[in-house]
Amino acid sequence: MAEKTQPSVELTENFAVGNYARFPVAFTHGEGRYLWDEDGRRYLDFFSGLGVSCLGHGHPALLEAITEQAGKLLHTSNLYSHAPGAELARRLCELSFADRVFLCNSGTEAIEAAIKMARRAKPDRHEIVTAFGSFHGRTMGSLAATGQPALREGFGPMPPGFVHVEYGDPAAVAAAVNPGTAAVLVEPILGESGVVLPPPGYLAELRSICDREGLLLLLDEVQTGMGRTGTLFACEGEEVKPDILATAKGLAGGLPVGAVLATEQAAAALLPGSHGSTFGGNPVASAAALAVLDSFNKEGVLKNCQETGEYLAAGLRRLFEGHPDVVEVRGRGLMLGVEFSSPTAPLVAAALELGLLVNAAAGTVLRLLPPLTLTREEADEGLDLLETALKKVS
Ligand SMILES: *Cc1c(COP(=O)(O)O)cnc(C)c1O
């Protein structure tokens, strides 16, 4: 970690609202899977800025798409059409179950739009069943949906109409359904709660409950989407088609954008004037998202995510399984977690000290979200650094 204070760290401490527990590091630039800080130190990035920088840093095609579009047109509002946004909507439909796409700027906005779409689509019902331990965002609707009461503390009153049940238990969802239920909203894998995988068949069972009861299935793929688990969307791995899917984080490889993918029937609920966003899907963010999808295609990014993900997971098992403090190594693609029986913050701090960015989720989980372009050599380097970090803290 920084020996001398990095100027931006001090400035941030003095002038930014204190809502983040930031590490005392300020980055200046990145290349591939590496970042450099204001002291010139290099870090291997196994975090991707919360699963966002899916192509790593300074990806040439992404950079070219952004600079080219920025040179042409930055913004027009959604009162008009533009080619990057139109093309992005078409590509997302072609690549998924969806017939229509709404573009916004973030994960929480995608969830808000999905909630509004679901409630309008089921006008005589409003309740949405979600899971304990879920994370759907920080704005009021998505915060009310989030199954973590601690995150709501002091921010009430919350919008009503959200019912929380045990994650991974379809019977609990079925039991919560009543004549006022409009939709079921879940993450295919819990991200913020520490890479928690539901039992196999969970999403398929939720799909059949929704079909039986006439409900909409909403998937929060803000974190699991855009290749993170090795398929473009995690629900493909389960062969489940939702009615509405929210995605964001990796979508534009680092620029702010979010998307709601929907069936024709669900999308029909949002008529002119019913919802909107000034910036949503602006030309530059859309061009970036198109470049990300192009790279996935041309550079075999999803296959790399599957293969390097398996390789890294095997390495993590070798390193951690059998360790007295380790409960489980788990995950899919390059969304991996190691659950400990004790807090992982010291391990994450030790890794940072050694030049490796990893994340502590849910207190006792070590979460890894490397760029989807990670190589085996970089996976090996990260595993070596983790091994050293583990020795330092045990
Ligand atoms: C990050 C995240 C969100 C919120 O996204 P923001 O872009 O931070 O608003 C919502 N749902 C899930 C599953 C997430 O991981």
Side-chain angles (χ1 to χ4, degrees), residues 50 105-109 111 135-138 187 189 191-192 220-224 248-249 367:
L50 247 170
N105 309 286
S106 67
T108 201
E109 284 180 47
I111 295 294
F135 182 84
H136 298 298
R138 302 282 193 171
E187 295 161 78
I189 297 173
E192 297 311 292
D220 181 345
E221 295 230 27
V222 171
Q223 190 162 153
T224 54
K249 288 192 163 88
R367 178 172 52 165

Side-chain angles (χ1 to χ4, degrees), residues 333-371:
L334 282 167
M335 182 171 180
L336 298 168
V338 183
E339 187 179 342
F340 285 72
S341 52
S342 53
T344 47
L347 179 62
V348 169
L352 182 71
E353 196 101 37
L354 294 165
L356 175 69
L357 303 182
V358 289
N359 172 249
T364 55
V365 177
L366 174 74
R367 178 172 52 165
L368 309 181
L369 302 168

Side-chain angles (χ1 to χ4, degrees), residues 32-33 48 52-62 228 250 252-253 288 291-293 295-296 299 301 371-373:
R33 273 64 61 193
S48 308
V52 168
S53 311
C54 56
L55 300 180
H57 305 280
H59 188 282
L62 178 57
R228 179 52 55 190
V292 167
L293 289 172
S295 289
F296 279 15
E299 294 159 30
V301 172
L372 308 183
T373 50

Side-chain angles (χ1 to χ4, degrees), residues 229 303-318 331-336 376 379 383:
T229 70
K303 186 157 171 277
N304 184 71
C305 172
Q306 288 163 16
E307 290 174 0
T308 313
E310 272 167 35
Y311 181 78
L312 182 58
L316 290 172
R317 277 188 209 103
R318 243 185 352 263
R332 197 189 302 161
L334 282 167
M335 182 171 180
L336 298 168
R376 285 194 175 208
L383 288 164

